[in-house]
Amino acid sequence: MRVWLFIVALAFPFLCISQSLKSDWAKLKEAYENNTLSNTTEFDKLISRYEKSEAADADVWTQLYFYYGDLFMGKNDLEKASEKLSRAYTYSLKAKDTTLKYVVILSFARISFALEDHEKAEEYYMYALPGISAMYGQSSLDYTLIFYEYVRNLVSMRRYAEATPMLEALNYYFKTLNLIEHPSYLSILANQAWIKKEEGDANGAIQLYSQLVSNDLFLKQGDTSAYVTILTNMADIYRETDQSEKALAAIRELKKQMNLLGYKDPDQVGFTENILGLI
């Protein structure tokens, strides 16, 4: 499964270029989008075949290196992804389609977030969002999903005062569109619960976490890690509020679910045992 659980598919316009390159790129792009490429060989062959024409057709070369970088992102090789995306950005500055650079910068934001360089991620998101808004429209789901990525980054920076009203607005947006089982909506609820936990609103946090756990919403989406994290946070809240019996019950449920799901992350196991020892 590709690591980019909440990523919107961004389609590039296809420009008129030399017929052979146009044909070869169309085939490679189709194979990539259909998930039939298992390695980078075809990208390397295409680049080698047409590298002498890289001075021209900046739009197409932007696309090619963007997809090449995205392939490495899917493999979680963020160093090579950054290398290819840097080439894409260089070409995007010469491209006729001025929106291409915003799509590339968005990928840099996502890489920075994955590397937990949240300040750099914020810079990239702030640069990319106006262009993405122009592409999709500010009220579109496509733009909203990307805007949520920016808000999620604020939460990671503990800038709760800024993030809270944005999360409330996002919550309302998804409920209005009846998208209450959308993965991003579930993530929004989890972040709202986390902020309540951090700000001492134990009851509010438990209420939101219970909503997510009782319906197995994350498990239905295949997000085992989020489900386990929520159970852990619930146990920790009960411990912090001296509700020992509920904390123990939550820990027992957590360990049961970890065994059933085959979830053996050593950090999670250690954290679970630590909570148990503090009760």
Side-chain angles (χ1 to χ4, degrees):
M1 181 178 180
R2 298 178 65 185
V3 295
W4 309 103
L5 292 181
F6 308 120
I7 291 181
V8 180
L10 300 172
F12 286 114
F14 199 81
L15 305 177
C16 181
I17 58 176
S18 63
Q19 193 60 41
S20 57
L21 177 56
K22 178 179 179 179
S23 176
D24 288 347
W25 170 235
K27 292 175 183 177
L28 179 57
K29 184 181 177 204
E30 181 180 9
Y32 178 77
E33 292 178 342
N34 290 333
N35 295 315
T36 58
L37 287 180
S38 59
N39 55 57
T40 63
T41 302
E42 295 305 315
F43 275 96
D44 292 330
K45 286 181 179 178
L46 187 61
I47 291 171
S48 177
R49 188 177 306 133
Y50 296 103
E51 61 185 347
K52 292 183 180 180
S53 66
E54 283 194 24
D57 303 319
D59 295 69
V60 173
W61 286 104
T62 301
Q63 297 175 42
L64 194 155
Y65 277 108
F66 171 83
Y67 277 93
Y68 201 0
D70 192 61
L71 179 61
F72 281 115
M73 287 171 70
K75 296 176 178 294
N76 206 28
D77 188 339
L78 302 185
E79 182 177 352
K80 288 185 179 178
S82 295
E83 176 189 326
K84 304 307 178 186
L85 289 167
S86 292
R87 295 291 298 274
Y89 182 69
T90 298
Y91 284 115
S92 75
L93 298 177
K94 305 172 187 177
K96 294 178 182 178
D97 184 348
T98 58
T99 66
L100 295 179
K101 62 179 177 287
Y102 298 113
V103 177
V104 178
I105 289 296
L106 177 61
S107 289
F108 281 120
R110 289 165 169 163
I111 288 174
S112 297
F113 181 83
L115 293 173
E116 299 184 358
D117 187 349
H118 298 295
E119 291 185 0
K120 180 60 70 175
E122 182 183 21
E123 290 180 21
Y124 286 135
Y125 278 120
M126 292 294 289
Y127 183 91
L129 281 171
I132 300 298
S133 175
M135 290 170 64
Y136 292 117
Q138 199 165 18
S139 62
S140 69
L141 178 60
D142 288 333
Y143 173 79
T144 301
L145 291 171
I146 295 168
F147 178 74
Y148 170 56
E149 294 178 24
Y150 166 72
V151 178
R152 183 184 58 180
N153 190 64
L154 292 179
V155 175
S156 296
M157 298 171 76
R158 303 178 68 85
R159 285 161 57 179
Y160 302 144
E162 294 171 70
T164 295
M166 296 179 185
L167 288 169
E168 290 172 354
L170 287 163
N171 187 317
Y172 179 79
Y173 176 92
F174 278 85
K175 285 195 293 188
T176 300
L177 294 181
N178 196 30
L179 295 173
I180 58 175
E181 292 193 8
H182 193 286
S184 287
Y185 179 67
L186 305 184
S187 181
I188 288 165
L189 289 180
N191 274 299
Q192 288 183 299
W194 172 256
I195 290 175
K196 288 182 182 297
K197 176 182 182 296
E198 289 291 283
E199 294 185 339
D201 184 0
N203 290 333
I206 287 294
Q207 182 179 359
L208 287 173
Y209 281 141
S210 297
Q211 179 182 340
L212 292 168
V213 170
S214 63
N215 295 321
D216 291 338
L217 294 175
F218 275 112
L219 290 182
K220 291 176 182 177
Q221 300 290 346
D223 195 345
T224 303
S225 178
Y227 183 75
V228 168
T229 298
I230 287 171
L231 288 174
T232 303
N233 289 341
M234 291 178 71
D236 202 30
I237 291 171
Y238 288 133
R239 179 192 63 79
E240 291 176 346
T241 55
D242 296 322
Q243 300 182 67
S244 299
E245 290 186 9
K246 289 185 177 180
L248 287 170
I251 286 292
R252 285 194 291 269
E253 178 64 17
L254 173 60
K255 296 179 78 170
K256 173 185 173 183
Q257 292 299 329
M258 288 173 66
N259 287 332
L260 288 174
L261 297 168
Y263 193 85
K264 299 179 180 179
D265 180 86
D267 292 334
Q268 179 62 55
V269 172
F271 190 59
T272 300
E273 293 301 325
N274 183 58
I275 294 175
L276 187 60
L278 292 172
I279 296 174

